[in-house]
Structures are given as structure tokens and as C-alpha cells.
Amino acid sequence: DTEVTQTPKHLVMGMTNKKSLKCEQHMGHRAMYWYKQKAKKPPELMFVYSYEKLSINESVPSRFSPECPNSSLLNLHLHALQPEDSALYLCASSRPGQDNSPLHFGNGTRLTVT
Amino acid sequence: AQSVTQLGSHVSVSEGALVLLRCNYSSSVPPYLFWYVQYPNQGLQLLLKYTSAATLVKGINGFEAEFKKSETSFHLTKPSAHMSDAAEYFCAVSAPSNAGNMLTFGGGTRLMVKP
């Protein structure tokens, strides 16, 4: 069983819809991440939150809006997406800092934009 | 900037054969290296991570990797492949900071296991 839980598992949305992806972890990790993974490609970093503050934004379009309400939860709000945004969205968490703390990933949300 | 390169986007082995998945890194400082596995329709699962305490790292499911500084490599091996090992494998390098531990992934290697 994964220790990082993502909901929903699958999401189909139109280009005018507003939806949110949710991620939860209870490992006490203070860094949380959103990655985007296209088919047959490695994950690409989108956002990093460290101690509930946005620390990294990898030049992601504003139609993706992250939110970290508390140390256990991470949301990704979606609005006016394009078909090319269809992908697997992965959430991860870790201990931030100067060590080789691995990232723990959820099983992802498979997003299809129609 | 740190990076990893995985040689071979597809590797096919017979069940019971040796598995060797190649990863080379580029880093100006001692790297933090990881291997992850991704099964179909799932997230990434940590197989093993490199710590400076040992050059031979043992992971889950019988996998191990050897860190060779002289060759800037961190290849993943398993003595005997099982059908259940069929998956996508990613080598990754980490740049830890207080802003988070940013992982940069290699392109991935799809392992196919033939009966």
C-alpha cells in the first residue's frame, strides 16, 4: 500500500471545467511535490512545497494552481486545461534538507482533457 | 547541473536470466542516486538509494546497484529475472536543499521478461 494517497484515480474534464486533484500523506514529511508524466516519458517536476510554502515553480502555466492547506495535504487546481495537458499527475513527499531522503510517490491521477 | 542517462530504452531478458539496467550520472559533487520502478498504471516505487556508506547497495525484490565513481555509473542488477519484474525503471539524481529534494530522472528503461 502506498503511503501517499491521491484522489481521484481517473479524471476526465472538458477544457472549460474546473477540477482539483488531491494528495495526502501522514509520514510527517514537510516537502511535497507535483510531477507530470506523459506516456513513455519520465516524470517532470511542476511544483515543490517546503514547510507549506511554494518553493519551486518550474514555469508551469497558470491554468495549474497548487495549494498546500497544511503539512499533510496538497491540492492541484485545474482550470481551462488543454488536451495536451492530459497525463498522469503524480504527488510525492519527502523530508526536505541536506540528506538523501527519497521521494515517496502516490499512484497518480490519470487526467484526460477533452 | 546534475543529470543521469539511462542506456537502452528497452531491455528484454528471459525469465531466470541476469538483469542489467545501465545508468550513468553527471555531477560535480558526490551525487544522491536512486532507482525507482513503475508498474503499469501505478506511481513510482523506490527500489534502492545510494549512500556514501557502501558502494554496493541492496534494494527490494532482489535488486542491487553498484556505485562506481571512476565510471560515473550506478547500474542496476538482479541475478535472476522474474515475470513480475516487467516494468519501467528510472534512475534519478537528487539535488537536496531546504526547498525540497528535486529529483531529475533518466529517460527510463522498459524491462520485458520473456517466459
Side-chain angles (χ1 to χ4, degrees), chain A residues 31 33 35 37 41-43 45 48 50 55-56 88 90 94-103 105-107 110, chain B residues 32 34 36 38 41-46 49-51 90 94 96-108 110:
Chain A
Y33 311 75
Y35 279 83
Q37 186 179 26
K41 296 290 187 182
L45 182 65
V48 182
S50 180
S55 58
I56 301 286
L88 180 68
L90 293 163
S94 79
R95 289 183 287 120
Q98 301 294 331
D99 65 14
N100 61 348
S101 173
L103 270 63
F105 286 85
N107 281 330
R110 176 79 57 190
Chain B
Y32 295 114
F34 305 83
Y36 283 85
Q38 186 174 31
N41 300 314
Q42 292 190 24
L44 279 70
Q45 181 182 5
L46 179 69
K49 65 179 183 181
Y50 168 66
T51 67
F90 293 100
S94 171
S97 73
N98 286 328
N101 297 355
M102 271 60 72
L103 280 182
T104 300
F105 290 92
R110 180 163 297 276

Side-chain angles (χ1 to χ4, degrees), chain A:
Chain A
D1 290 338
T2 183
E3 297 166 315
V4 177
T5 303
Q6 291 187 243
T7 56
K9 287 184 172 38
H10 302 274
L11 178 62
V12 179
M13 60 184 291
M15 289 189 286
T16 59
N17 291 160
K18 286 184 181 181
K19 297 287 185 183
S20 296
L21 309 185
K22 297 186 183 300
C23 174
E24 186 170 6
Q25 59 88 15
H26 294 288
M27 293 178 282
H29 291 165
R30 301 304 296 277
M32 296 187 75
Y33 311 75
W34 281 115
Y35 279 83
K36 174 182 178 180
Q37 186 179 26
K38 301 286 278 185
K40 302 186 189 304
K41 296 290 187 182
E44 295 177 344
L45 182 65
M46 300 175 72
F47 302 104
V48 182
Y49 274 82
S50 180
Y51 298 96
E52 295 84 69
K53 294 191 188 306
L54 184 65
S55 58
I56 301 286
N57 177 343
E58 292 288 293
S59 303
V60 179
S62 60
R63 58 186 184 269
F64 295 91
S65 176
E67 178 195 20
C68 190
N70 60 55
S71 60
S72 300
L73 294 174
L74 185 66
N75 298 322
L76 186 61
H77 303 296
L78 314 172
H79 174 55
L81 294 192
Q82 303 297 310
E84 59 265 29
D85 296 322
S86 299
L88 180 68
Y89 288 84
L90 293 163
C91 174
S93 69
S94 79
R95 289 183 287 120
Q98 301 294 331
D99 65 14
N100 61 348
S101 173
L103 270 63
H104 296 253
F105 286 85
N107 281 330
T109 293
R110 176 79 57 190
L111 175 67
T112 303
V113 181
T114 60

Side-chain angles (χ1 to χ4, degrees), chain B residues 20-49:
Chain B
L20 171 60
L21 305 182
R22 299 177 187 273
C23 174
N24 287 88
Y25 68 89
S26 172
S27 174
S28 58
V29 297
Y32 295 114
L33 293 163
F34 305 83
W35 275 100
Y36 283 85
V37 60
Q38 186 174 31
Y39 298 102
N41 300 314
Q42 292 190 24
L44 279 70
Q45 181 182 5
L46 179 69
L47 275 177
L48 50 82
K49 65 179 183 181

